[in-house]
Amino acid sequence: MKHPKPNPGILARGADAAPAASMPDDGLAAIRHENLDEKVYGRIRTMIADGVLAPGQRVAQEALAVRLGVSRTPLVNALKRLAQEGLLRAIPRRGFRVRELSPLELVQLFELRERLEPLAAELAATRIAPDEADRMAGEWRAMASLPDTPEAHQTYVERDRAFHRRLAELSGNPFLRAAMDPVSMLAAAYLHGTPRPWEDTVPDHLAVIEGLRRGDPAASGAAMRRHIAPSLAALRQALQQPTPPNAG
């Protein structure tokens, strides 16, 4: 009498593994893998936004995999995705570097923000709940009382990022949100805040929030344009500065 051949998949899982009929299908394994990819992607993205991975820095993949506690596969998947978004630059046979932006590219980035952010504020003004607008105002009034310290600057960066992201969500326009997301990330990564002193921008945020609180799209959009305009002007001025000649 012939005995059935053993299932190599079961042998590979060990003697304590459940029979094949009771094992979950490959779909669940794929979902777990996708979830891990998403978590690794999110962690690296935050590291870029926070300056932990600085512009121009080479991504040391082995060290990063150890730091995140993951294997190479989800790490590389995340790095490729970030390269597609423009946050990393893939270098053939040399891995990845955090993307650097030229002064011209920073100007172009803020020119785009000058168009997208007011639209998000206008749309958000028609959808935000009054209590949320009040909470936002309280947070930004509290920012105004903070001393100028590195910790306060970091608090500003995080709160500013959350504020602009929330307006994109409140816009109710998924296409606008998708367009704003990489732009906001690039601004966060390469300026780590704003070209202006952060204390100067707190009244700008409060002006936008006042328009939101009143449900006034025109006021919210105009306040957002006034918020972005000085940063864009500063970047344009920096772009016009002469480049020192190379020695020799």
mmCIF file with all atom_site columns, all heavy atoms in Angstrom, residues 40 70 80 128 144 156 162 206 208 219 222 246:
data_model
loop_
_atom_site.group_PDB
_atom_site.id
_atom_site.type_symbol
_atom_site.label_atom_id
_atom_site.label_alt_id
_atom_site.label_comp_id
_atom_site.label_asym_id
_atom_site.label_entity_id
_atom_site.label_seq_id
_atom_site.pdbx_PDB_ins_code
_atom_site.Cartn_x
_atom_site.Cartn_y
_atom_site.Cartn_z
_atom_site.occupancy
_atom_site.B_iso_or_equiv
_atom_site.pdbx_formal_charge
_atom_site.auth_seq_id
_atom_site.auth_comp_id
_atom_site.auth_asym_id
_atom_site.auth_atom_id
_atom_site.pdbx_PDB_model_num
ATOM 1  N N   . VAL A 1 40  ? 6.419   50.519 8.282  1.00 0.00 ? 40  VAL A N   1
ATOM 2  C CA  . VAL A 1 40  ? 7.809   50.883 8.021  1.00 0.00 ? 40  VAL A CA  1
ATOM 3  C C   . VAL A 1 40  ? 7.862   52.164 7.191  1.00 0.00 ? 40  VAL A C   1
ATOM 4  O O   . VAL A 1 40  ? 8.654   53.071 7.466  1.00 0.00 ? 40  VAL A O   1
ATOM 5  C CB  . VAL A 1 40  ? 8.547   49.739 7.301  1.00 0.00 ? 40  VAL A CB  1
ATOM 6  C CG1 . VAL A 1 40  ? 9.952   50.160 6.903  1.00 0.00 ? 40  VAL A CG1 1
ATOM 7  C CG2 . VAL A 1 40  ? 8.603   48.506 8.201  1.00 0.00 ? 40  VAL A CG2 1
ATOM 8  N N   . VAL A 1 70  ? 13.049  45.262 11.526 1.00 0.00 ? 70  VAL A N   1
ATOM 9  C CA  . VAL A 1 70  ? 12.386  44.603 10.406 1.00 0.00 ? 70  VAL A CA  1
ATOM 10 C C   . VAL A 1 70  ? 13.425  43.986 9.487  1.00 0.00 ? 70  VAL A C   1
ATOM 11 O O   . VAL A 1 70  ? 14.620  44.272 9.578  1.00 0.00 ? 70  VAL A O   1
ATOM 12 C CB  . VAL A 1 70  ? 11.517  45.603 9.596  1.00 0.00 ? 70  VAL A CB  1
ATOM 13 C CG1 . VAL A 1 70  ? 10.403  46.161 10.463 1.00 0.00 ? 70  VAL A CG1 1
ATOM 14 C CG2 . VAL A 1 70  ? 12.361  46.729 9.011  1.00 0.00 ? 70  VAL A CG2 1
ATOM 15 N N   . LYS A 1 80  ? 11.474  52.341 -1.715 1.00 0.00 ? 80  LYS A N   1
ATOM 16 C CA  . LYS A 1 80  ? 11.061  52.527 -3.113 1.00 0.00 ? 80  LYS A CA  1
ATOM 17 C C   . LYS A 1 80  ? 9.829   53.432 -3.192 1.00 0.00 ? 80  LYS A C   1
ATOM 18 O O   . LYS A 1 80  ? 9.734   54.291 -4.075 1.00 0.00 ? 80  LYS A O   1
ATOM 19 C CB  . LYS A 1 80  ? 10.767  51.174 -3.756 1.00 0.00 ? 80  LYS A CB  1
ATOM 20 C CG  . LYS A 1 80  ? 12.011  50.331 -4.026 1.00 0.00 ? 80  LYS A CG  1
ATOM 21 C CD  . LYS A 1 80  ? 11.628  48.992 -4.656 1.00 0.00 ? 80  LYS A CD  1
ATOM 22 C CE  . LYS A 1 80  ? 12.872  48.168 -4.973 1.00 0.00 ? 80  LYS A CE  1
ATOM 23 N NZ  . LYS A 1 80  ? 12.518  46.837 -5.540 1.00 0.00 ? 80  LYS A NZ  1
ATOM 24 N N   . ILE A 1 128 ? -15.940 72.547 9.087  1.00 0.00 ? 128 ILE A N   1
ATOM 25 C CA  . ILE A 1 128 ? -15.393 72.353 10.427 1.00 0.00 ? 128 ILE A CA  1
ATOM 26 C C   . ILE A 1 128 ? -16.473 72.593 11.490 1.00 0.00 ? 128 ILE A C   1
ATOM 27 O O   . ILE A 1 128 ? -17.335 73.465 11.340 1.00 0.00 ? 128 ILE A O   1
ATOM 28 C CB  . ILE A 1 128 ? -14.181 73.281 10.665 1.00 0.00 ? 128 ILE A CB  1
ATOM 29 C CG1 . ILE A 1 128 ? -13.443 72.901 11.947 1.00 0.00 ? 128 ILE A CG1 1
ATOM 30 C CG2 . ILE A 1 128 ? -14.609 74.750 10.686 1.00 0.00 ? 128 ILE A CG2 1
ATOM 31 C CD1 . ILE A 1 128 ? -12.112 73.605 12.106 1.00 0.00 ? 128 ILE A CD1 1
ATOM 32 N N   . ALA A 1 144 ? 1.658   80.883 21.568 1.00 0.00 ? 144 ALA A N   1
ATOM 33 C CA  . ALA A 1 144 ? 2.157   82.259 21.628 1.00 0.00 ? 144 ALA A CA  1
ATOM 34 C C   . ALA A 1 144 ? 2.857   82.550 22.948 1.00 0.00 ? 144 ALA A C   1
ATOM 35 O O   . ALA A 1 144 ? 3.696   83.457 23.021 1.00 0.00 ? 144 ALA A O   1
ATOM 36 C CB  . ALA A 1 144 ? 1.005   83.238 21.414 1.00 0.00 ? 144 ALA A CB  1
ATOM 37 N N   . TYR A 1 156 ? 6.129   73.550 17.761 1.00 0.00 ? 156 TYR A N   1
ATOM 38 C CA  . TYR A 1 156 ? 5.549   74.309 16.658 1.00 0.00 ? 156 TYR A CA  1
ATOM 39 C C   . TYR A 1 156 ? 5.522   73.473 15.383 1.00 0.00 ? 156 TYR A C   1
ATOM 40 O O   . TYR A 1 156 ? 4.499   73.442 14.676 1.00 0.00 ? 156 TYR A O   1
ATOM 41 C CB  . TYR A 1 156 ? 6.345   75.597 16.415 1.00 0.00 ? 156 TYR A CB  1
ATOM 42 C CG  . TYR A 1 156 ? 5.955   76.270 15.119 1.00 0.00 ? 156 TYR A CG  1
ATOM 43 C CD1 . TYR A 1 156 ? 4.875   77.148 15.075 1.00 0.00 ? 156 TYR A CD1 1
ATOM 44 C CD2 . TYR A 1 156 ? 6.637   75.997 13.924 1.00 0.00 ? 156 TYR A CD2 1
ATOM 45 C CE1 . TYR A 1 156 ? 4.485   77.739 13.890 1.00 0.00 ? 156 TYR A CE1 1
ATOM 46 C CE2 . TYR A 1 156 ? 6.251   76.588 12.734 1.00 0.00 ? 156 TYR A CE2 1
ATOM 47 C CZ  . TYR A 1 156 ? 5.183   77.459 12.717 1.00 0.00 ? 156 TYR A CZ  1
ATOM 48 O OH  . TYR A 1 156 ? 4.804   78.036 11.539 1.00 0.00 ? 156 TYR A OH  1
ATOM 49 N N   . ALA A 1 162 ? 0.345   69.177 11.857 1.00 0.00 ? 162 ALA A N   1
ATOM 50 C CA  . ALA A 1 162 ? -0.979  68.625 12.139 1.00 0.00 ? 162 ALA A CA  1
ATOM 51 C C   . ALA A 1 162 ? -2.084  69.584 11.687 1.00 0.00 ? 162 ALA A C   1
ATOM 52 O O   . ALA A 1 162 ? -3.125  69.146 11.183 1.00 0.00 ? 162 ALA A O   1
ATOM 53 C CB  . ALA A 1 162 ? -1.116  68.328 13.627 1.00 0.00 ? 162 ALA A CB  1
ATOM 54 N N   . LEU A 1 206 ? -3.859  81.904 13.883 1.00 0.00 ? 206 LEU A N   1
ATOM 55 C CA  . LEU A 1 206 ? -5.060  82.338 14.587 1.00 0.00 ? 206 LEU A CA  1
ATOM 56 C C   . LEU A 1 206 ? -6.018  83.059 13.642 1.00 0.00 ? 206 LEU A C   1
ATOM 57 O O   . LEU A 1 206 ? -7.252  82.943 13.782 1.00 0.00 ? 206 LEU A O   1
ATOM 58 C CB  . LEU A 1 206 ? -4.684  83.242 15.763 1.00 0.00 ? 206 LEU A CB  1
ATOM 59 C CG  . LEU A 1 206 ? -4.026  82.512 16.941 1.00 0.00 ? 206 LEU A CG  1
ATOM 60 C CD1 . LEU A 1 206 ? -3.476  83.513 17.947 1.00 0.00 ? 206 LEU A CD1 1
ATOM 61 C CD2 . LEU A 1 206 ? -5.018  81.569 17.620 1.00 0.00 ? 206 LEU A CD2 1
ATOM 62 N N   . VAL A 1 208 ? -6.354  82.424 10.388 1.00 0.00 ? 208 VAL A N   1
ATOM 63 C CA  . VAL A 1 208 ? -7.008  81.373 9.601  1.00 0.00 ? 208 VAL A CA  1
ATOM 64 C C   . VAL A 1 208 ? -8.107  80.717 10.433 1.00 0.00 ? 208 VAL A C   1
ATOM 65 O O   . VAL A 1 208 ? -9.233  80.496 9.950  1.00 0.00 ? 208 VAL A O   1
ATOM 66 C CB  . VAL A 1 208 ? -5.984  80.316 9.143  1.00 0.00 ? 208 VAL A CB  1
ATOM 67 C CG1 . VAL A 1 208 ? -6.697  79.149 8.444  1.00 0.00 ? 208 VAL A CG1 1
ATOM 68 C CG2 . VAL A 1 208 ? -4.949  80.930 8.210  1.00 0.00 ? 208 VAL A CG2 1
ATOM 69 N N   . ALA A 1 219 ? -12.466 84.610 4.199  1.00 0.00 ? 219 ALA A N   1
ATOM 70 C CA  . ALA A 1 219 ? -11.551 85.066 5.239  1.00 0.00 ? 219 ALA A CA  1
ATOM 71 C C   . ALA A 1 219 ? -10.479 84.017 5.528  1.00 0.00 ? 219 ALA A C   1
ATOM 72 O O   . ALA A 1 219 ? -9.304  84.354 5.720  1.00 0.00 ? 219 ALA A O   1
ATOM 73 C CB  . ALA A 1 219 ? -12.325 85.399 6.513  1.00 0.00 ? 219 ALA A CB  1
ATOM 74 N N   . ALA A 1 222 ? -7.993  83.945 2.523  1.00 0.00 ? 222 ALA A N   1
ATOM 75 C CA  . ALA A 1 222 ? -7.148  85.136 2.494  1.00 0.00 ? 222 ALA A CA  1
ATOM 76 C C   . ALA A 1 222 ? -6.103  85.092 3.605  1.00 0.00 ? 222 ALA A C   1
ATOM 77 O O   . ALA A 1 222 ? -4.936  85.469 3.397  1.00 0.00 ? 222 ALA A O   1
ATOM 78 C CB  . ALA A 1 222 ? -8.017  86.390 2.617  1.00 0.00 ? 222 ALA A CB  1
ATOM 79 N N   . ASN A 1 246 ? 33.495  79.634 -7.351 1.00 0.00 ? 246 ASN A N   1
ATOM 80 C CA  . ASN A 1 246 ? 34.317  78.512 -6.891 1.00 0.00 ? 246 ASN A CA  1
ATOM 81 C C   . ASN A 1 246 ? 35.783  78.938 -6.834 1.00 0.00 ? 246 ASN A C   1
ATOM 82 O O   . ASN A 1 246 ? 36.265  79.676 -7.693 1.00 0.00 ? 246 ASN A O   1
ATOM 83 C CB  . ASN A 1 246 ? 34.174  77.323 -7.849 1.00 0.00 ? 246 ASN A CB  1
ATOM 84 C CG  . ASN A 1 246 ? 32.787  76.734 -7.812 1.00 0.00 ? 246 ASN A CG  1
ATOM 85 O OD1 . ASN A 1 246 ? 32.120  76.781 -6.776 1.00 0.00 ? 246 ASN A OD1 1
ATOM 86 N ND2 . ASN A 1 246 ? 32.317  76.204 -8.933 1.00 0.00 ? 246 ASN A ND2 1
#
